[in-house]
């Protein structure tokens, strides 16, 4: 059984609510003011059980121009529409406006219901039908049935029920997602029961006893105590259902209109990139416009920035960035509507293509090209290759093909075949160590440039060093620490750069192929000064802080000093141990004296004796013992230093 929501649309007083009552025997106008004024003001809700066993949740929207935002909230999430047109009145302003909104929200199926046929003659009815057919020409709803109905006499109701039954197979059921998401359209406190919220389930499913989060908010858990669907208690509801949830842990002050219930915490956003269409009858828009933004039950003032054009004329399409004046929970592919700042004209609407974008201060050609590609992929995401593009854009990092297949719920073999068949130049598929990895070719180019520029910058700052940067140094810089696909890709990238002759190996590091060590006369003098300074420390351990002070007097900054120390180490003039260093001449002298002493003492010597032997400081002794143990020429058992077989061999050659 499909889970579908049926919604009404049409001009005020054309009989939408009366039609729903004739179908369901439920009066959606429940408020006193609605009864007094004879018009729908708030959203109305009911359900319809067809003889075939199929069931609809129903949302009845107001038709008055003053309640367009309420209409948008109700239309968000419906699967098929009953476009209600009174036979005695024909197409009216809100008929047109509602149709534009319905189309913008992506609703492609429904039925036109010509109401009040009991008060018109056959000729008027025929003219009304012709007007509707002409009105829908060129729209997504151009081929939907037109059924005359009298809500008062019941004429046409059986045909309408049959029409709904035959329309169901045409409606694509929403894809189930891992997370549950639902806008709240009503909230009320039932004595003895607690808070109950209603809404149309947009994603996923939720069961009794599960936890939800009210977002944006403090992320506290709210438990689902009870669930109703179409007036009956159920264990769970799924995407496409109208749901009433009894929640525990919710307080009235926690809620404000536009909030979302979700099974996971979703980060809010105050800025989105989107594809936008300006209605044919709207005003032209400049680069920046202040608008009212609507998506689901969320609404706020916003600044709309055109990215690919200087202005939009009625009927134009464009790529925009929307700056919201308050945080919202929005997802890629969500639909939205915008009205002018005075909220009396519906301007148009569109689809979100990036819910967490960067702030586009400069409208570069590359940015516009990337956004157009993303918009095309998002708007035509029924194609597998476009789903891949959307995910790659969102992830912005290398990803295993298996992981991406799971994300879009497609078989790996099918996805691989599609990628090989399409051979899209914007997507890079690499097989590395028998694993398929995906990323965009633009990302690959950016990573290449980043690596080459980083190595080049390193050489400029460290011209006296032969080595460059190790692969591991890029892992953190590229945020690959927890990305195994990224690490494999990075290894492959470094090898590709090497094979292309752009880099070379320098020890464990990568250097630019053309890099040569350069030492100017001034630096050569400073190196000589530094080596002499370290050597003069004698039988004490060099202290970096002391050397830094002396180097400052020589106009050598700390960064250059570190490079010079590293250079002297590369030249084998310094020996490093546990982050510290000492001149090789000191080590060589002390090694010879120690080996000579311990080779003659079978029981070894302690550190105090070693210290007296070389007349060195205690810290120097500890460092030297550590160096000699790491060389394998001595060992230390308890407090005594003993010569090893390797030590004896080396001593014999001294």
């Amino acid at each position: 059984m499909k889970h579908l929501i049926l919604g009404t649309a049409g001009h005020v007083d054309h009989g939408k609510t009366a039609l729903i009552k004739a179908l369901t025997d439920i009066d959606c106008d429940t408020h006193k003011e609605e009864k007094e004024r004879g018009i729908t003001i708030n959203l109305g809700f009911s359900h319809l059980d067809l003889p075939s066993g199929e069931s609809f949740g129903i949302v009845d929207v107001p038709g008055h121009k003053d309640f367009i935002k309420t209409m948008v909230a109700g239309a968000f999430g419906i699967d098929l529409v009953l476009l209600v047109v009174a036979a005695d009145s024909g197409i009216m302003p809100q008929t047109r406006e509602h149709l534009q909104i319905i189309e913008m929200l992506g609703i492609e199926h429904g039925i036109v219901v010509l109401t009040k046929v009991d008060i018109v003659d056959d000729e008027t009815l025929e003219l009304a039908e012709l007007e509707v057919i002409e009105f829908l020409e060129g729209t997504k709803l151009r081929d939907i049935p037109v059924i005359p109905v009298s809500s008062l006499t019941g004429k046409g109701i059986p045909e309408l029920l049959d029409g709904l039954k035959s329309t169901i197979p045409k409606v694509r059921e929403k894809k189930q997602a891992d997370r549950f998401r639902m806008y709240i359209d009503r909230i009320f406190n039932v004595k003895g029961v607690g808070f109950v919220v209603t809404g149309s389930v947009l994603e996923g499913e939720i069961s009794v006893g599960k936890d939800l989060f009210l977002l944006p908010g403090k992320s506290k858990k709210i438990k689902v105590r009870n669930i109703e669907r179409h007036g009956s208690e159920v264990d769970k509801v799924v995407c496409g259902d109208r749901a009433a949830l009894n929640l525990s842990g919710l307080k009235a002050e926690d809620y404000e209109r536009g909030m979302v219930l979700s099974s996971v915490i979703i980060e809010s956003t105050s800025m989105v990139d989107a594809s936008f269409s300006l209605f044919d009858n709207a005003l032209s828009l400049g680069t920046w416009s202040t608008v009212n933004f609507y998506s689901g039950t969320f609404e706020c003032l916003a600044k709309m920035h055109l990215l690919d054009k200087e202005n939009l004329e009625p009927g134009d399409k464009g790529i925009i960035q929307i700056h919201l004046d308050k945080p919202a929970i929005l997802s890629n592919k969500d639909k939205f509507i915008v009205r002018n700042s005075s909220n009396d004209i519906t301007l148009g609407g569109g689809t979100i293509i990036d819910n967490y974008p960067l702030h586009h201060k400069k409208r570069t050609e590359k940015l516009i090209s990337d956004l157009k590609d993303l918009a095309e992929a998002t708007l035509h995401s029924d194609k597998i290759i476009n789903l891949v593009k959307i995910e790659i854009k969102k992830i912005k990092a290398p990803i295993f093909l298996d992981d991406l297949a799971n994300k879009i719920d497609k078989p790996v073999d099918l996805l691989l075949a599609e990628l090989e068949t399409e051979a899209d130049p914007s997507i890079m598929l690499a097989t590395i160590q028998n694993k398929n990895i995906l990323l965009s070719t633009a990302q690959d180019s950016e990573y290449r440039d980043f690596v080459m520029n980083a190595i080049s910058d390193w050489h400029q700052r460290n011209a006296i060093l032969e080595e460059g940067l190790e692969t591991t140094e890029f892992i953190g810089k590229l945020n690959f620490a927890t990305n195994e696909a990224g690490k494999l890709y990075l290894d492959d990238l470094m090898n590709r750069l090497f094979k292309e002759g752009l880099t070379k190996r320098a020890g464990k590091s990568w250097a630019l192929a053309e890099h040569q060590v350069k030492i100017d006369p001034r630096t050569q003098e400073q190196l000589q000064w530094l080596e002499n300074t370290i050597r003069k420390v004698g039988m004490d351990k060099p202290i970096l802080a002391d050397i830094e002070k002396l180097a400052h007097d020589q106009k050598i900054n700390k960064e250059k000093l570190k490079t010079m120390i590293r250079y002297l180490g590369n030249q084998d003039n310094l020996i490093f141990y546990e982050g510290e260093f000492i001149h090789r001449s000191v080590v060589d002298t002390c090694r010879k004296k120690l080996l000579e002493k311990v080779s003659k003492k079978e029981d070894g010597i302690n550190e105090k004796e070693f210290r007296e032997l070389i007349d060195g400081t205690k810290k120097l002794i500890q460092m030297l013992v550590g160096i000699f143990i790491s060389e394998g020429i001595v060992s230390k058992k308890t407090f005594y230093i003993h010569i090893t077989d390797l030590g004896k061999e080396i001593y014999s050659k001294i």
Side-chain angles (χ1 to χ4, degrees):
M1 182 181 71
K2 287 186 176 179
H3 295 257
L4 301 175
I5 299 173
L6 176 68
T8 64
H11 196 76
V12 63
D13 201 31
H14 276 213
K16 295 184 293 299
T17 303
L19 175 65
I20 297 304
K21 186 174 182 180
L23 283 170
T24 67
D25 200 31
I26 298 172
D27 188 353
C28 291
D29 280 351
T30 58
H31 293 75
K32 180 180 178 181
E33 187 180 356
E34 291 176 319
K35 297 294 186 184
E36 291 175 350
R37 295 177 62 181
I39 63 171
T40 299
I41 297 173
N42 300 290
L43 295 176
F45 305 99
S46 58
H47 62 275
L48 173 63
D49 299 321
L50 297 178
S52 61
E54 299 284 354
S55 178
F56 291 105
I58 296 180
V59 181
D60 182 31
V61 306
H64 198 283
K65 65 179 182 179
D66 292 343
F67 306 115
I68 287 294
K69 68 176 184 180
T70 306
M71 180 270 168
V72 172
F76 196 88
I78 71 173
D79 300 288
L80 65 163
V81 63
L82 292 179
L83 182 59
V84 179
V85 180
D88 63 334
S89 302
I91 305 302
M92 297 292 282
Q94 267 56 64
T95 315
R96 298 181 184 280
E97 189 169 16
H98 281 205
L99 178 63
Q100 289 177 319
I101 292 170
I102 287 295
E103 282 207 287
M104 194 58 67
L105 294 178
I107 300 160
E108 300 179 349
H109 301 282
I111 295 173
V112 175
V113 183
L114 281 176
T115 57
K116 304 185 181 182
V117 298
D118 54 296
I119 62 172
V120 298
D121 56 29
D122 291 343
E123 184 180 354
T124 303
L125 178 59
E126 185 179 351
L127 289 173
E129 288 187 50
L130 291 173
E131 183 186 21
V132 166
I133 291 170
E134 183 180 350
F135 171 61
L136 295 179
E137 191 65 36
T139 72
K140 296 175 184 176
L141 301 177
R142 60 186 174 275
D143 295 324
I144 66 174
V146 180
I147 299 177
V149 167
S150 169
S151 301
L152 184 63
T153 67
K155 180 183 177 181
I157 294 296
E159 290 79 3
L160 178 55
L161 291 173
D162 288 341
L164 288 170
K165 178 183 175 182
S166 61
T167 303
I168 289 174
K170 302 175 186 177
V171 182
R172 186 187 307 170
E173 195 166 13
K174 295 185 179 77
K175 178 185 171 185
Q176 294 298 324
D178 292 335
R179 70 183 183 187
F180 172 86
R181 186 166 67 112
M182 182 183 91
Y183 277 108
I184 297 171
D185 47 43
R186 286 189 302 175
I187 181 169
F188 42 91
N189 196 354
V190 180
K191 188 174 182 180
V193 174
F195 279 101
V196 175
V197 300
T198 66
S200 300
V201 181
L202 302 178
E203 290 181 329
E205 62 179 49
I206 197 66
S207 303
V208 172
K210 295 294 186 180
D211 292 327
L212 292 174
F213 298 94
L214 184 62
L215 305 172
K218 299 177 181 178
S219 302
K220 71 174 184 176
K221 291 181 180 179
I222 300 169
K223 189 172 292 294
V224 180
R225 182 184 294 164
N226 191 31
I227 301 176
E228 284 191 6
R229 175 184 181 269
H230 302 178
S232 300
E233 286 194 19
V234 291
D235 292 330
K236 73 174 182 179
V237 284
V238 303
C239 179
D241 280 337
R242 281 291 307 172
L245 308 180
N246 177 211
L247 304 172
S248 63
L250 177 64
K251 296 180 181 178
E253 58 266 27
D254 295 333
Y255 170 77
E256 67 177 66
R257 184 175 175 80
M259 297 182 85
V260 168
L261 282 172
S262 172
S263 57
V264 298
I265 296 174
I266 305 173
E267 184 181 351
S268 65
T269 182
S270 295
M271 185 167 56
V272 296
D273 287 346
S275 171
F276 178 75
S277 296
L278 189 63
F279 289 156
D280 292 336
N281 57 341
L283 303 172
S284 60
L285 297 178
T287 306
W288 284 95
S289 300
T290 299
V291 297
N292 282 281
F293 175 91
Y294 299 94
S295 185
T297 61
F298 177 83
E299 59 181 273
C300 72
L301 276 173
K303 295 283 188 181
M304 197 168 77
H305 184 200
L306 298 184
L307 297 177
D308 62 335
K309 297 178 180 179
E310 293 301 322
N311 56 70
L312 280 183
E313 297 301 326
D316 280 353
K317 296 180 179 180
I319 306 295
I320 63 173
Q321 184 162 80
I322 303 174
H323 300 257
L324 308 172
D325 76 345
K326 65 179 181 180
I329 302 297
L330 297 169
S331 295
N332 290 337
K333 298 179 69 175
D334 275 358
K335 306 289 185 179
F336 65 91
I337 298 293
V338 298
R339 307 193 85 206
N340 63 348
S341 57
S342 56
N343 215 359
D344 55 4
I345 300 174
T346 304
L347 299 173
T351 304
I352 293 170
I353 61 174
D354 190 347
N355 54 341
Y356 302 114
L358 298 174
H359 186 179
H360 306 314
K361 296 180 180 179
K362 294 184 179 180
R363 300 182 294 169
T364 64
E365 290 185 10
K366 183 179 184 305
L367 170 67
I368 293 170
S369 176
D370 287 347
L371 289 176
K372 284 183 175 179
D373 286 346
L374 182 59
E376 178 68 19
T378 304
L379 296 175
H380 302 96
S381 59
D382 52 325
K383 289 187 64 176
I384 293 177
I385 196 71
N386 286 334
L387 288 174
V388 172
K389 288 181 178 181
I390 292 169
E391 289 301 321
I392 287 176
K393 172 68 176 177
K394 287 194 294 186
I395 296 164
K396 298 180 181 177
I399 182 173
F400 288 121
L401 179 66
D402 290 10
D403 292 339
L404 191 138
N406 287 334
K407 277 181 172 289
I408 63 175
D409 194 24
K410 300 291 181 184
V412 175
D413 292 344
L414 178 63
L415 184 53
L416 186 58
E418 176 87 1
L419 288 167
E420 291 174 347
T421 301
E422 291 284 341
D424 192 298
S426 70
I427 299 174
M428 176 179 171
L429 173 63
T431 303
I432 305 170
Q433 296 184 20
N434 296 319
K435 293 195 174 184
N436 291 314
I437 295 174
L438 281 171
L439 69 158
S440 71
T441 50
Q443 286 173 320
D444 178 57
S445 179
E446 288 174 8
Y447 289 141
R448 288 171 64 94
D449 291 345
F450 180 86
V451 167
M452 294 296 289
N453 290 335
I455 298 175
S456 177
D457 290 344
W458 165 264
H459 288 326
Q460 290 180 24
R461 296 194 311 271
N462 305 277
I464 65 175
L465 298 180
E466 182 181 353
E467 67 265 33
L469 295 172
E470 295 184 25
T471 303
T472 53
E473 295 184 72
F474 290 105
I475 291 176
K477 295 177 186 292
L478 297 175
N479 296 317
F480 288 167
T482 58
N483 184 345
E484 294 305 316
K487 292 176 184 177
L488 285 179
Y489 162 79
L490 181 59
D491 283 335
D492 181 73
L493 173 61
M494 303 308 291
N495 288 323
R496 278 190 283 141
L497 294 173
F498 176 71
K499 289 177 182 178
E500 292 169 20
L502 298 173
T503 61
K504 62 182 178 182
R505 294 304 310 228
K508 295 181 179 180
S509 71
W510 297 99
L512 296 183
E514 70 273 13
H515 174 65
Q516 298 293 331
V517 172
K518 299 175 183 176
I519 305 178
D520 58 74
R522 172 62 178 156
T523 302
Q524 187 64 57
E525 291 177 6
Q526 291 173 332
L527 285 167
Q528 189 61 53
W529 169 85
L530 177 60
E531 184 180 357
N532 290 336
T533 299
I534 296 172
R535 185 189 290 114
K536 287 177 184 178
V537 174
M539 293 304 159
D540 199 351
K541 187 176 73 170
I543 305 298
L544 179 60
D546 294 339
I547 295 173
E548 285 176 347
K549 291 178 182 178
L550 297 172
H552 180 74
D553 296 336
Q554 296 291 321
K555 294 184 171 49
I556 303 172
N557 62 39
K558 291 182 180 181
E559 197 64 34
K560 186 173 184 180
L561 177 63
K562 289 179 182 178
T563 301
M564 292 168 62
I565 290 172
R566 187 167 176 173
Y567 172 83
L568 293 175
N570 290 347
Q571 299 301 306
D572 213 22
N573 294 336
L574 301 181
I575 291 178
F576 294 90
Y577 178 73
E578 293 186 349
E580 299 181 300
F581 56 88
I582 189 171
H583 199 276
R584 171 165 290 281
S585 62
V586 176
V587 177
D588 291 345
T589 299
C590 295
R591 182 190 299 108
K592 181 178 181 181
K593 289 183 179 181
L594 177 61
L595 291 179
E596 182 179 8
K597 185 74 172 179
V598 295
S599 65
K600 297 174 183 177
K601 298 201 67 171
E602 188 174 335
D603 295 335
I605 65 173
N606 58 35
E607 289 188 0
K608 183 178 180 182
E609 292 175 276
F610 183 27
R611 181 178 177 184
E612 292 172 350
L613 177 69
I614 65 170
D615 192 24
T617 63
K618 185 176 181 180
K619 289 182 179 180
L620 177 66
I621 296 301
Q622 292 172 343
M623 184 179 184
L624 289 171
V625 170
I627 291 172
F628 296 146
I629 291 175
S630 66
E631 290 178 350
I633 62 175
V634 299
S635 63
K636 187 178 179 184
K637 300 175 182 178
T638 62
F639 299 105
Y640 287 86
I641 305 167
H642 297 267
I643 193 169
T644 64
D645 291 340
L646 178 61
K648 292 175 183 178
E649 181 183 342
I650 290 175
Y651 177 64
S652 67
K653 298 176 182 179
I654 296 179

